[in-house]
Amino acid sequence: MILHQENLDYKTHCKFTCGKYILGHEKPEPSNTNAARVIDCLYLCPTSNLQENHKLLHLQTNSVVIQRNCTAAPIMSSIINQVHTLAKINNMPKGLK
C-alpha cells in the first residue's frame, strides 16, 4: 500500500488474486443450526487493517462482504453461470474491456 505508506506482506496481501473464486467462512449464531457456514464469493482485495480481513463479492446477494477466513476453491460451471447472470442484471457489456 504505497499510498498509505505501509509495508506489503506477501502472506497477507498476495494470498489470493482478484476475481478468484473463494469460499468465505461464516460463524452463524447460534452455531448448532443447519445454516450455511461458507458463502460463495469472488475475491476483491485485502482490507487495510491489521486483522488480515478480505473484501469479497458475495454472489448470492451481489454485495461486498468482509471475511477473516477464506479458502480458495476450484470454480464450477454453476458459479460461472451465476457471474454471467449478475453481469446481465447490472447491464455489463459483453466481453472483456
Side-chain angles (χ1 to χ4, degrees):
M1 310 279 193
I2 296 171
L3 294 175
H4 299 288
Q5 297 183 0
E6 297 176 3
N7 293 330
L8 295 178
D9 181 23
Y10 179 78
K11 291 181 181 178
T12 303
H13 296 95
C14 302
K15 191 171 185 179
F16 304 109
T17 58
C18 182
K20 185 159 184 69
Y21 175 59
I22 297 290
L23 297 175
H25 299 277
E26 289 196 321
K27 294 182 182 178
E29 292 293 329
S31 62
N32 60 348
T33 64
N34 289 333
R37 297 186 186 264
V38 294
I39 54 175
D40 296 324
C41 299
L42 294 179
Y43 188 79
L44 297 177
C45 65
T47 57
S48 60
N49 58 12
L50 297 175
Q51 283 83 22
E52 299 181 8
N53 292 332
H54 306 277
K55 287 185 182 178
L56 308 172
L57 177 67
H58 188 213
L59 294 176
Q60 282 75 24
T61 61
N62 195 22
S63 62
V64 175
V65 295
I66 296 177
Q67 294 289 327
R68 180 173 171 86
N69 297 324
C70 303
T71 305
I75 195 161
M76 299 174 282
S77 60
S78 61
I79 300 300
I80 295 171
N81 293 336
Q82 193 168 12
V83 171
H84 285 295
T85 303
L86 285 176
K88 287 179 185 176
I89 290 172
N90 292 325
N91 296 323
M92 302 305 278
K94 282 191 168 190
L96 297 174
K97 292 284 178 175

